[in-house]
Amino acid sequence: MSLHYRTALAGCLLVTSPFLAQNAAAHQAGDWLLKFGVTQVRPDSDNGSVLGGTVDLDASDNVEPSISLTWMATDHLGIELLGALPFEHEIKSRALGGKIATTKQLPPTLSVQWHFLPTATVQPYVGVGVNYTRFFDTDTKGALSGSRLVLDDSFGLAGQVGVHVPFNEGWFINADVRYADIDTDVNLNSTRIGTANIDPWVTTVGFGLAF
């Protein structure tokens, strides 16, 4: 998790800590957890190369509002669906002199979670699931201007580590970090030229309501 998000979470914990012991709320089987937050998608620093390794790729970070819904099948086992507004990334290549495209993507992720301490004042959990990423509105820039660039949709595994910190009856602070396996075939003018390995860290900070 980046220093920015660690600092934000620490600040939230300091503000709410005087109330945690009195107001900690447990979630249990049958509850729904609705979470709102801000999510950063941070692609791997090296997104691979195309055209036989001659053209490197680098996708930029992006931050957007997000929402997730979790159903607690038991006190410990939850099933969560993550959604967000479309993320937009710049695609750059040193070999081609800088920015070569922009693209948008939607990465809904379905995860099965294990909540270790559902009645504690700090409630950690882990999750594993499947990510589906749809790329769209890809526009070419710079050296590729006028070309048609298409990024294929991707399916991959996703892992998650997170924590809930209750601060009032039903309400809680949430922070989590995911790693998603996102690999997309790159097509230029209807010809496949390679694969981009996005493989981002996905960090979310926000709040939620159990009902």
Side-chain angles (χ1 to χ4, degrees):
M1 186 183 295
S2 69
L3 178 60
H4 172 77
Y5 287 108
R6 289 199 301 267
T7 302
L9 179 58
C12 291
L13 291 175
L14 287 174
V15 170
T16 60
S17 59
F19 309 100
L20 294 181
Q22 295 179 351
N23 295 321
H27 52 70
Q28 57 190 355
D31 282 355
W32 293 88
L33 312 180
L34 180 62
K35 294 183 278 188
F36 301 91
V38 177
T39 295
Q40 180 193 54
V41 174
R42 184 170 187 168
D44 188 25
S45 58
D46 179 7
N47 302 134
S49 59
V50 294
L51 292 174
T54 60
V55 175
D56 59 295
L57 300 174
D58 181 36
S60 66
D61 305 348
N62 190 226
V63 177
E64 295 291 346
S66 61
I67 186 171
S68 67
L69 185 64
T70 305
W71 175 63
M72 298 303 300
T74 72
D75 290 355
H76 294 276
L77 186 67
I79 301 173
E80 180 184 75
L81 179 63
L82 170 69
L85 292 180
F87 294 94
E88 183 169 355
H89 304 279
E90 293 184 350
I91 302 174
K92 298 180 180 179
S93 172
R94 292 186 301 272
L96 296 180
K99 184 164 68 173
I100 58 174
T102 60
T103 191
K104 295 180 181 179
Q105 54 100 348
L106 282 171
T109 304
L110 183 66
S111 300
V112 176
Q113 301 171 334
W114 185 258
H115 295 252
F116 294 95
L117 301 170
T119 63
T121 56
V122 177
Q123 302 167 359
Y125 61 91
V126 296
V128 63
V130 177
N131 167 266
Y132 167 70
T133 300
R134 178 177 180 269
F135 294 92
F136 61 100
D137 287 354
T138 302
D139 295 321
T140 52
K141 309 289 183 181
L144 294 187
S145 290
S147 302
R148 182 171 181 268
L149 187 69
V150 175
L151 304 178
D152 289 348
D153 296 349
S154 167
F155 282 95
L157 296 177
Q160 176 188 31
V161 177
V163 63
H164 294 160
V165 182
F167 66 90
N168 204 342
E169 186 64 33
W171 294 91
F172 57 91
I173 296 166
N174 174 70
D176 65 53
V177 178
R178 304 169 193 258
Y179 181 79
D181 179 21
I182 301 177
D183 298 331
T184 175
D185 288 340
V186 182
N187 303 276
L188 183 63
N189 296 328
S190 301
T191 300
R192 183 180 178 277
I193 60 173
T195 301
N197 305 309
I198 308 299
D199 298 341
W201 290 97
V202 181
T203 305
T204 299
V205 174
F207 64 95
L209 173 66
F211 59 94

